[in-house]
Amino acid sequence: PLFGTTVGAELPASGYVRVGKEVMKFTRSGSTLNVQRAQFNTEAESHDAGDSVQLCLQYEGERVQDIVYDLLVNYGNVPAGFIDKAQWDAEANVWLAGYNLSTLITEPTGVNKLLSELSEQCLFFIWWDEERQTIPWSVLRPPEDEPVSVNDVENLVAGSIGRKDEPKERVSQVIIYYSQINPVEKLDEESNFARIRVRRDVEAEAEEQYGETRIRKIFSRWFDADNDAITLSTGTRLLNAYRDNPKFITFSLDAKDRGLLGVGHTVDFVSRFVVDDTGAPRPIRLLVLSEDEVEAGHRLEYECQDYRLADVRLARWTPNNYPNYPQATDEQIRKGGFFADNDGKLPDGSDAYQFV
């Protein structure tokens, strides 16, 4: 039997517990647990009276947005009314289809840490929208509509632009360790994973470009043996996003432009602070990370990161009645997908699409 006056209220009727370094499957009757020993590749150990019993948290084949919702609402005490779950589902069902995750968490772990792991490995972000009083969900993906543009002449407040490059965040290889063997071992123990996925950009490591190897390792408790395809997707997208030195840009807009941008929006940024080899302003696409009203009623400040997916022409499946490329409108070309010729070019000479 377990000791404690609230054992019955704290433990569910069944589940998993950890005692020492052993995981057990249990069913509960009152304060008594009927257990199956040595679960999840742990070994049966001897235990002493008074040893602590830790209830484990299990997710099995759960959609990533459902896990995040559960962590926030049931463990982070975030009111459910702040979450537009329908918006989360709509975004994830399109861009994270197949991200069905499984794990067993055997020790107390902060919600922030778990959310950080999920955000990195599934390439989404959530934030607090002060104006709408909600927590939106967005996946790192191409924009569905043409982004707004800001420039030195029409929008940007003089003297407000800052730029910082982060070469330490550049990546030429992404290594994902997944299919965790024993959930009680240290998360960053390489030998405790049955599978590994490596994505490498050989050109970025060549002397003609950066001439060095920069490795980003991910130890995933969330991806199991059924997640081979999404480890490939995650590795490829991370490599695309960080193969060059990430750029962080700050700027301010006048209050007259309130509503033009918001966190999670993409923006085309044109300024003399970012130029090409000839010294002419080079447009870059940015992702808005934060928005702050630094002078009430007068000035809004934004922090952004360059948006690498802008360099890839991504295709989407289209309806059966979609026109051929030469007859398609600009909007249909931007939001659709067309097969290229054998040389990888479309009829107008532009590069082919990549399917998502």
Side-chain angles (χ1 to χ4, degrees):
L2 300 176
F3 296 96
T5 58
T6 61
V7 167
E10 292 178 354
L11 291 181
S14 62
Y16 291 90
V17 292
R18 173 180 173 175
V19 184
K21 299 194 73 173
E22 180 184 356
V23 173
M24 308 176 192
K25 185 176 183 179
F26 74 88
T27 56
R28 180 179 59 81
S29 176
S31 61
T32 300
L33 301 185
N34 298 308
V35 300
Q36 298 178 31
R37 306 286 302 274
Q39 302 292 300
F40 283 85
N41 297 307
T42 62
E43 295 183 359
E45 299 178 333
S46 59
H47 304 289
D48 298 324
D51 283 354
S52 62
V53 178
Q54 173 65 52
L55 177 65
C56 301
L57 176 61
Q58 184 186 29
Y59 295 106
E60 188 172 9
E62 300 282 348
R63 296 301 308 275
V64 57
Q65 72 271 25
D66 294 335
I67 295 174
V68 174
Y69 181 90
D70 182 59
L71 290 172
L72 285 176
V73 174
N74 295 319
Y75 297 93
N77 296 319
V78 173
F82 288 150
I83 298 174
D84 183 352
K85 188 56 165 51
Q87 184 268 323
W88 286 25
D89 288 339
E91 178 84 355
N93 288 342
V94 172
W95 298 102
L96 293 177
Y99 277 70
N100 302 317
L101 312 180
S102 302
T103 194
L104 186 76
I105 302 169
T106 67
E107 61 185 356
T109 307
V111 169
N112 283 342
K113 174 175 173 51
L114 297 175
L115 291 178
S116 177
E117 292 175 8
L118 288 165
S119 177
E120 176 190 38
Q121 295 167 29
C122 302
L123 299 169
F124 70 88
F125 52 98
I126 57 176
W127 68 97
W128 172 246
D129 188 322
E130 181 68 29
E131 182 178 352
R132 296 175 177 81
Q133 296 286 293
T134 61
I135 302 174
W137 171 295
S138 184
V139 178
L140 185 61
R141 59 171 176 79
E144 293 190 352
D145 299 309
E146 194 67 19
V148 299
S149 178
V150 297
N151 57 69
D152 290 328
V153 177
E154 298 178 343
N155 313 98
L156 300 170
V157 174
S160 70
I161 300 173
R163 170 178 168 174
K164 182 180 181 181
D165 290 3
E166 292 288 357
K168 291 183 179 180
E169 294 190 25
R170 187 180 62 79
V171 173
S172 66
Q173 293 184 33
V174 177
I175 303 177
I176 302 176
Y177 297 88
Y178 67 108
S179 189
Q180 189 180 40
I181 298 170
N182 185 334
V184 307
E185 299 295 339
K186 291 177 60 178
L187 185 59
D188 60 355
E189 180 59 55
E190 295 181 6
S191 62
N192 192 39
F193 292 88
R195 301 196 179 195
I196 182 173
R197 170 76 67 185
V198 179
R199 300 294 292 162
R200 180 185 180 192
D201 190 321
V202 178
E203 292 183 357
E205 296 177 347
E207 290 297 329
E208 295 79 8
Q209 295 195 24
Y210 293 100
E212 64 175 347
T213 298
R214 299 294 297 273
I215 299 175
R216 182 169 179 174
K217 293 184 178 181
I218 295 175
F219 300 92
S220 180
R221 72 175 94 219
W222 303 98
F223 297 159
D224 63 15
D226 294 328
N227 293 139
D228 285 336
I230 65 175
T231 61
L232 175 62
S233 173
T234 291
T236 300
R237 292 162 68 191
L238 279 172
L239 200 57
N240 287 341
Y242 292 97
R243 63 97 59 198
D244 296 310
N245 296 332
K247 298 178 181 63
F248 293 86
I249 293 178
T250 57
F251 59 83
S252 294
L253 300 181
D254 189 87
K256 68 177 178 63
D257 291 318
R258 183 187 300 276
L260 188 66
L261 298 178
V263 176
H265 290 182
T266 50
V267 54
D268 287 337
F269 178 87
V270 184
S271 170
R272 65 185 182 279
F273 283 87
V274 181
V275 298
D276 60 21
D277 294 337
T278 68
R282 177 175 63 86
I284 61 171
R285 186 157 290 176
L286 304 174
L287 175 68
V288 179
L289 303 178
S290 67
E291 177 186 44
D292 186 23
E293 189 167 1
V294 292
E295 294 180 23
H298 294 283
R299 186 162 65 93
L300 302 166
E301 186 175 82
Y302 297 88
E303 180 184 8
C304 306
Q305 181 180 353
D306 54 339
Y307 198 63
R308 299 303 170 86
L309 283 178
D311 298 330
V312 182
R313 193 177 198 181
L314 297 178
R316 301 170 178 84
W317 294 108
T318 61
N320 290 333
N321 60 354
Y322 227 63
N324 293 325
Y325 189 85
Q327 290 76 44
T329 65
D330 289 343
E331 182 177 8
Q332 288 171 329
I333 289 173
R334 188 174 71 252
K335 293 186 175 182
F338 299 86
F339 288 102
D341 294 329
N342 291 334
D343 61 359
K345 299 293 183 180
L346 291 157
D348 60 0
S350 59
D351 290 333
Y353 292 82
Q354 294 184 27
F355 280 97
V356 296

Short mmCIF file of all heavy atoms in Angstrom, two decimals, residues 9-57:
data_model
loop_
_atom_site.label_atom_id
_atom_site.label_comp_id
_atom_site.label_asym_id
_atom_site.label_seq_id
_atom_site.Cartn_x
_atom_site.Cartn_y
_atom_site.Cartn_z
N ALA A 9 -6.91 10.31 -4.47
CA ALA A 9 -7.26 11.46 -5.30
C ALA A 9 -6.16 11.82 -6.28
O ALA A 9 -6.41 12.36 -7.35
CB ALA A 9 -7.57 12.66 -4.39
N GLU A 10 -4.89 11.52 -5.94
CA GLU A 10 -3.77 11.94 -6.77
C GLU A 10 -3.48 10.97 -7.90
O GLU A 10 -3.01 11.38 -8.96
CB GLU A 10 -2.51 12.08 -5.91
CG GLU A 10 -2.58 13.24 -4.92
CD GLU A 10 -1.35 13.33 -4.06
OE1 GLU A 10 -0.50 12.42 -4.15
OE2 GLU A 10 -1.23 14.30 -3.29
N LEU A 11 -3.73 9.71 -7.72
CA LEU A 11 -3.40 8.72 -8.74
C LEU A 11 -4.64 8.30 -9.51
O LEU A 11 -5.69 8.07 -8.93
CB LEU A 11 -2.75 7.49 -8.10
CG LEU A 11 -1.36 7.67 -7.49
CD1 LEU A 11 -0.88 6.34 -6.93
CD2 LEU A 11 -0.37 8.17 -8.53
N PRO A 12 -4.52 8.15 -10.83
CA PRO A 12 -5.65 7.65 -11.60
C PRO A 12 -5.87 6.16 -11.34
O PRO A 12 -5.10 5.51 -10.61
CB PRO A 12 -5.22 7.91 -13.04
CG PRO A 12 -3.72 7.87 -12.99
CD PRO A 12 -3.35 8.46 -11.65
N ALA A 13 -6.88 5.61 -11.97
CA ALA A 13 -7.18 4.19 -11.77
C ALA A 13 -6.13 3.29 -12.39
O ALA A 13 -5.96 2.13 -11.98
CB ALA A 13 -8.56 3.86 -12.34
N SER A 14 -5.39 3.79 -13.38
CA SER A 14 -4.34 2.99 -14.02
C SER A 14 -3.34 3.94 -14.65
O SER A 14 -3.60 5.13 -14.84
CB SER A 14 -4.93 2.06 -15.08
OG SER A 14 -5.56 2.79 -16.11
N GLY A 15 -2.19 3.39 -14.98
CA GLY A 15 -1.15 4.21 -15.62
C GLY A 15 0.22 3.62 -15.34
O GLY A 15 0.38 2.40 -15.20
N TYR A 16 1.22 4.52 -15.25
CA TYR A 16 2.59 4.09 -15.00
C TYR A 16 3.17 4.91 -13.85
O TYR A 16 2.86 6.10 -13.71
CB TYR A 16 3.46 4.29 -16.24
CG TYR A 16 3.12 3.36 -17.39
CD1 TYR A 16 2.18 3.73 -18.34
CD2 TYR A 16 3.74 2.12 -17.50
CE1 TYR A 16 1.86 2.89 -19.39
CE2 TYR A 16 3.43 1.26 -18.55
CZ TYR A 16 2.48 1.65 -19.48
OH TYR A 16 2.16 0.79 -20.51
N VAL A 17 4.00 4.26 -13.04
CA VAL A 17 4.72 4.95 -11.98
C VAL A 17 6.19 4.59 -12.09
O VAL A 17 6.57 3.56 -12.67
CB VAL A 17 4.20 4.59 -10.57
CG1 VAL A 17 2.79 5.12 -10.35
CG2 VAL A 17 4.29 3.08 -10.33
N ARG A 18 7.01 5.45 -11.50
CA ARG A 18 8.44 5.19 -11.41
C ARG A 18 8.84 5.09 -9.95
O ARG A 18 8.48 5.95 -9.14
CB ARG A 18 9.23 6.31 -12.09
CG ARG A 18 10.74 6.20 -11.89
CD ARG A 18 11.48 7.32 -12.57
NE ARG A 18 12.90 7.30 -12.24
CZ ARG A 18 13.82 8.12 -12.77
NH1 ARG A 18 13.44 9.03 -13.65
NH2 ARG A 18 15.08 8.03 -12.39
N VAL A 19 9.56 4.03 -9.62
CA VAL A 19 10.15 3.86 -8.30
C VAL A 19 11.63 3.60 -8.50
O VAL A 19 12.00 2.62 -9.16
CB VAL A 19 9.51 2.69 -7.52
CG1 VAL A 19 10.08 2.63 -6.11
CG2 VAL A 19 8.00 2.82 -7.48
N GLY A 20 12.49 4.49 -7.99
CA GLY A 20 13.91 4.38 -8.29
C GLY A 20 14.14 4.55 -9.77
O GLY A 20 13.75 5.55 -10.36
N LYS A 21 14.76 3.55 -10.40
CA LYS A 21 14.97 3.59 -11.84
C LYS A 21 14.14 2.54 -12.56
O LYS A 21 14.45 2.14 -13.69
CB LYS A 21 16.47 3.40 -12.16
CG LYS A 21 17.35 4.49 -11.57
CD LYS A 21 18.74 4.47 -12.16
CE LYS A 21 18.72 5.00 -13.58
NZ LYS A 21 20.09 5.17 -14.13
N GLU A 22 13.06 2.13 -11.92
CA GLU A 22 12.16 1.15 -12.51
C GLU A 22 10.81 1.78 -12.81
O GLU A 22 10.26 2.52 -11.99
CB GLU A 22 11.96 -0.04 -11.57
CG GLU A 22 11.04 -1.12 -12.15
CD GLU A 22 10.77 -2.24 -11.18
OE1 GLU A 22 11.37 -2.24 -10.07
OE2 GLU A 22 9.97 -3.15 -11.53
N VAL A 23 10.28 1.49 -13.98
CA VAL A 23 8.94 1.91 -14.36
C VAL A 23 8.00 0.71 -14.25
O VAL A 23 8.33 -0.39 -14.70
CB VAL A 23 8.90 2.47 -15.80
CG1 VAL A 23 7.47 2.74 -16.25
CG2 VAL A 23 9.73 3.75 -15.89
N MET A 24 6.85 0.94 -13.62
CA MET A 24 5.86 -0.11 -13.45
C MET A 24 4.51 0.34 -14.01
O MET A 24 4.15 1.51 -13.89
CB MET A 24 5.67 -0.45 -11.97
CG MET A 24 6.94 -0.75 -11.21
SD MET A 24 6.60 -1.04 -9.45
CE MET A 24 8.28 -1.01 -8.79
N LYS A 25 3.81 -0.59 -14.60
CA LYS A 25 2.44 -0.35 -15.02
C LYS A 25 1.53 -0.74 -13.87
O LYS A 25 1.73 -1.76 -13.22
CB LYS A 25 2.11 -1.17 -16.27
CG LYS A 25 0.74 -0.89 -16.86
CD LYS A 25 0.56 -1.69 -18.15
CE LYS A 25 -0.79 -1.36 -18.80
NZ LYS A 25 -0.98 -2.10 -20.07
N PHE A 26 0.47 0.07 -13.60
CA PHE A 26 -0.34 -0.22 -12.42
C PHE A 26 -1.82 -0.07 -12.70
O PHE A 26 -2.25 0.63 -13.63
CB PHE A 26 0.04 0.73 -11.27
CG PHE A 26 -0.45 2.14 -11.44
CD1 PHE A 26 -1.72 2.53 -10.99
CD2 PHE A 26 0.34 3.11 -12.05
CE1 PHE A 26 -2.18 3.82 -11.16
CE2 PHE A 26 -0.12 4.41 -12.22
CZ PHE A 26 -1.38 4.76 -11.77
N THR A 27 -2.58 -0.75 -11.88
CA THR A 27 -4.00 -0.46 -11.66
C THR A 27 -4.14 -0.23 -10.17
O THR A 27 -3.47 -0.86 -9.35
CB THR A 27 -4.89 -1.62 -12.13
OG1 THR A 27 -4.50 -2.82 -11.46
CG2 THR A 27 -4.79 -1.82 -13.63
N ARG A 28 -5.02 0.68 -9.79
CA ARG A 28 -5.13 1.07 -8.38
C ARG A 28 -6.47 0.65 -7.80
O ARG A 28 -7.51 0.79 -8.44
CB ARG A 28 -4.97 2.59 -8.24
CG ARG A 28 -5.08 3.10 -6.80
CD ARG A 28 -4.89 4.60 -6.74
NE ARG A 28 -5.88 5.31 -7.53
CZ ARG A 28 -7.13 5.57 -7.12
NH1 ARG A 28 -7.54 5.16 -5.93
NH2 ARG A 28 -7.96 6.23 -7.90
N SER A 29 -6.41 0.17 -6.56
CA SER A 29 -7.60 -0.10 -5.77
C SER A 29 -7.39 0.57 -4.42
O SER A 29 -6.59 0.10 -3.60
CB SER A 29 -7.83 -1.61 -5.60
OG SER A 29 -8.93 -1.85 -4.75
N GLY A 30 -8.06 1.70 -4.22
CA GLY A 30 -7.83 2.46 -2.99
C GLY A 30 -6.41 2.98 -2.99
O GLY A 30 -5.98 3.67 -3.92
N SER A 31 -5.65 2.65 -1.94
CA SER A 31 -4.25 3.08 -1.88
C SER A 31 -3.30 1.94 -2.22
O SER A 31 -2.11 2.01 -1.96
CB SER A 31 -3.93 3.60 -0.48
OG SER A 31 -4.13 2.57 0.50
N THR A 32 -3.83 0.89 -2.84
CA THR A 32 -3.01 -0.26 -3.23
C THR A 32 -2.86 -0.30 -4.74
O THR A 32 -3.83 -0.16 -5.48
CB THR A 32 -3.65 -1.57 -2.74
OG1 THR A 32 -3.76 -1.54 -1.32
CG2 THR A 32 -2.81 -2.77 -3.17
N LEU A 33 -1.61 -0.50 -5.18
CA LEU A 33 -1.32 -0.61 -6.60
C LEU A 33 -1.00 -2.06 -6.95
O LEU A 33 -0.18 -2.70 -6.29
CB LEU A 33 -0.13 0.27 -6.99
CG LEU A 33 -0.22 1.76 -6.73
CD1 LEU A 33 1.01 2.47 -7.31
CD2 LEU A 33 -1.50 2.35 -7.31
N ASN A 34 -1.66 -2.56 -7.97
CA ASN A 34 -1.29 -3.84 -8.56
C ASN A 34 -0.41 -3.54 -9.78
O ASN A 34 -0.85 -2.84 -10.70
CB ASN A 34 -2.53 -4.62 -8.98
CG ASN A 34 -3.41 -4.96 -7.79
OD1 ASN A 34 -2.95 -5.52 -6.80
ND2 ASN A 34 -4.69 -4.61 -7.88
N VAL A 35 0.82 -4.03 -9.77
CA VAL A 35 1.79 -3.57 -10.75
C VAL A 35 2.31 -4.70 -11.62
O VAL A 35 2.34 -5.87 -11.23
CB VAL A 35 2.98 -2.88 -10.05
CG1 VAL A 35 2.52 -1.67 -9.26
CG2 VAL A 35 3.76 -3.84 -9.18
N GLN A 36 2.73 -4.29 -12.83
CA GLN A 36 3.53 -5.12 -13.72
C GLN A 36 4.92 -4.49 -13.76
O GLN A 36 5.06 -3.33 -14.13
CB GLN A 36 2.92 -5.18 -15.12
CG GLN A 36 1.53 -5.79 -15.17
CD GLN A 36 0.96 -5.77 -16.57
OE1 GLN A 36 1.68 -5.84 -17.56
NE2 GLN A 36 -0.37 -5.67 -16.65
N ARG A 37 5.91 -5.25 -13.39
CA ARG A 37 7.25 -4.72 -13.18
C ARG A 37 8.01 -4.51 -14.49
O ARG A 37 7.66 -5.03 -15.55
CB ARG A 37 8.05 -5.69 -12.28
CG ARG A 37 7.41 -6.06 -10.94
CD ARG A 37 7.49 -4.92 -9.96
NE ARG A 37 8.85 -4.48 -9.70
CZ ARG A 37 9.66 -5.02 -8.79
NH1 ARG A 37 9.24 -6.01 -8.03
NH2 ARG A 37 10.89 -4.54 -8.62
N ALA A 38 9.08 -3.71 -14.38
CA ALA A 38 10.09 -3.57 -15.43
C ALA A 38 9.50 -3.21 -16.80
O ALA A 38 9.71 -3.90 -17.79
CB ALA A 38 10.92 -4.86 -15.52
N GLN A 39 8.79 -2.10 -16.85
CA GLN A 39 8.20 -1.62 -18.09
C GLN A 39 9.15 -0.64 -18.80
O GLN A 39 10.06 -0.08 -18.21
CB GLN A 39 6.87 -0.94 -17.81
CG GLN A 39 5.85 -1.83 -17.11
CD GLN A 39 5.37 -2.96 -18.00
OE1 GLN A 39 4.79 -2.74 -19.06
NE2 GLN A 39 5.61 -4.19 -17.55
N PHE A 40 8.92 -0.45 -20.09
CA PHE A 40 9.68 0.52 -20.91
C PHE A 40 11.20 0.28 -20.80
O PHE A 40 11.98 1.21 -20.64
CB PHE A 40 9.34 1.97 -20.50
CG PHE A 40 8.02 2.45 -21.04
CD1 PHE A 40 6.84 2.18 -20.36
CD2 PHE A 40 7.96 3.16 -22.23
CE1 PHE A 40 5.63 2.62 -20.85
CE2 PHE A 40 6.75 3.61 -22.73
CZ PHE A 40 5.58 3.33 -22.04
N ASN A 41 11.57 -0.98 -20.90
CA ASN A 41 12.99 -1.36 -20.94
C ASN A 41 13.75 -1.03 -19.66
O ASN A 41 14.98 -0.93 -19.66
CB ASN A 41 13.70 -0.71 -22.14
CG ASN A 41 13.15 -1.18 -23.46
OD1 ASN A 41 13.07 -2.37 -23.73
ND2 ASN A 41 12.75 -0.23 -24.30
N THR A 42 13.04 -0.83 -18.55
CA THR A 42 13.71 -0.70 -17.26
C THR A 42 13.81 -2.07 -16.62
O THR A 42 13.16 -3.03 -17.05
CB THR A 42 12.94 0.27 -16.34
OG1 THR A 42 11.63 -0.26 -16.09
CG2 THR A 42 12.81 1.63 -16.97
N GLU A 43 14.64 -2.18 -15.58
CA GLU A 43 14.86 -3.45 -14.91
C GLU A 43 14.20 -3.47 -13.54
O GLU A 43 14.14 -2.43 -12.86
CB GLU A 43 16.36 -3.71 -14.76
CG GLU A 43 17.09 -3.87 -16.09
CD GLU A 43 18.56 -4.19 -15.89
OE1 GLU A 43 18.99 -4.26 -14.71
OE2 GLU A 43 19.27 -4.37 -16.90
N ALA A 44 13.70 -4.63 -13.15
CA ALA A 44 13.11 -4.78 -11.82
C ALA A 44 14.20 -4.62 -10.76
O ALA A 44 15.27 -5.21 -10.85
CB ALA A 44 12.44 -6.15 -11.69
N GLU A 45 13.91 -3.78 -9.77
CA GLU A 45 14.86 -3.51 -8.69
C GLU A 45 14.21 -3.83 -7.35
O GLU A 45 12.98 -3.92 -7.24
CB GLU A 45 15.27 -2.03 -8.69
CG GLU A 45 15.96 -1.53 -9.94
CD GLU A 45 16.27 -0.05 -9.85
OE1 GLU A 45 15.53 0.68 -9.12
OE2 GLU A 45 17.24 0.40 -10.47
N SER A 46 15.04 -3.97 -6.34
CA SER A 46 14.49 -4.08 -4.99
C SER A 46 14.23 -2.67 -4.47
O SER A 46 15.00 -1.75 -4.74
CB SER A 46 15.48 -4.80 -4.07
OG SER A 46 16.71 -4.10 -4.01
N HIS A 47 13.12 -2.53 -3.73
CA HIS A 47 12.75 -1.22 -3.22
C HIS A 47 12.47 -1.33 -1.72
O HIS A 47 12.05 -2.39 -1.22
CB HIS A 47 11.51 -0.69 -3.95
CG HIS A 47 11.68 -0.62 -5.45
ND1 HIS A 47 12.49 0.30 -6.06
CD2 HIS A 47 11.17 -1.40 -6.44
CE1 HIS A 47 12.46 0.11 -7.38
NE2 HIS A 47 11.66 -0.92 -7.64
N ASP A 48 12.66 -0.21 -1.05
CA ASP A 48 12.49 -0.18 0.40
C ASP A 48 11.20 0.54 0.78
O ASP A 48 10.69 1.38 0.02
CB ASP A 48 13.67 0.55 1.06
CG ASP A 48 14.99 -0.16 0.81
OD1 ASP A 48 14.98 -1.41 0.79
OD2 ASP A 48 16.02 0.53 0.63
N ALA A 49 10.67 0.18 1.93
CA ALA A 49 9.53 0.90 2.47
C ALA A 49 9.89 2.38 2.60
O ALA A 49 10.99 2.72 3.05
CB ALA A 49 9.13 0.33 3.83
N GLY A 50 8.99 3.22 2.19
CA GLY A 50 9.24 4.66 2.25
C GLY A 50 9.80 5.24 0.98
O GLY A 50 9.93 6.47 0.86
N ASP A 51 10.17 4.40 -0.02
CA ASP A 51 10.63 4.93 -1.30
C ASP A 51 9.51 5.71 -1.97
O ASP A 51 8.32 5.33 -1.90
CB ASP A 51 11.07 3.80 -2.23
CG ASP A 51 12.44 3.25 -1.86
OD1 ASP A 51 13.08 3.83 -0.96
OD2 ASP A 51 12.85 2.23 -2.46
N SER A 52 9.86 6.80 -2.62
CA SER A 52 8.85 7.63 -3.28
C SER A 52 8.36 6.95 -4.55
O SER A 52 9.10 6.23 -5.23
CB SER A 52 9.42 9.01 -3.61
OG SER A 52 10.52 8.90 -4.50
N VAL A 53 7.10 7.19 -4.86
CA VAL A 53 6.47 6.65 -6.06
C VAL A 53 6.05 7.84 -6.92
O VAL A 53 5.24 8.68 -6.49
CB VAL A 53 5.24 5.78 -5.71
CG1 VAL A 53 4.57 5.29 -6.99
CG2 VAL A 53 5.66 4.61 -4.83
N GLN A 54 6.63 7.94 -8.12
CA GLN A 54 6.37 9.07 -9.01
C GLN A 54 5.41 8.65 -10.13
O GLN A 54 5.70 7.74 -10.89
CB GLN A 54 7.68 9.57 -9.63
CG GLN A 54 7.50 10.64 -10.69
CD GLN A 54 6.92 11.92 -10.13
OE1 GLN A 54 7.43 12.46 -9.15
NE2 GLN A 54 5.84 12.40 -10.73
N LEU A 55 4.27 9.33 -10.21
CA LEU A 55 3.35 9.09 -11.31
C LEU A 55 3.97 9.61 -12.60
O LEU A 55 4.50 10.72 -12.66
CB LEU A 55 2.02 9.81 -11.06
CG LEU A 55 0.97 9.70 -12.17
CD1 LEU A 55 0.50 8.26 -12.33
CD2 LEU A 55 -0.21 10.62 -11.87
N CYS A 56 3.92 8.80 -13.65
CA CYS A 56 4.47 9.19 -14.95
C CYS A 56 3.38 9.81 -15.82
O CYS A 56 2.19 9.52 -15.67
CB CYS A 56 5.05 7.97 -15.67
SG CYS A 56 6.36 7.13 -14.77
N LEU A 57 3.81 10.66 -16.73
CA LEU A 57 2.91 11.28 -17.69
C LEU A 57 3.14 10.64 -19.04
O LEU A 57 4.26 10.68 -19.57
CB LEU A 57 3.15 12.78 -17.76
CG LEU A 57 2.34 13.56 -18.81
CD1 LEU A 57 0.84 13.45 -18.55
CD2 LEU A 57 2.77 15.03 -18.83
#
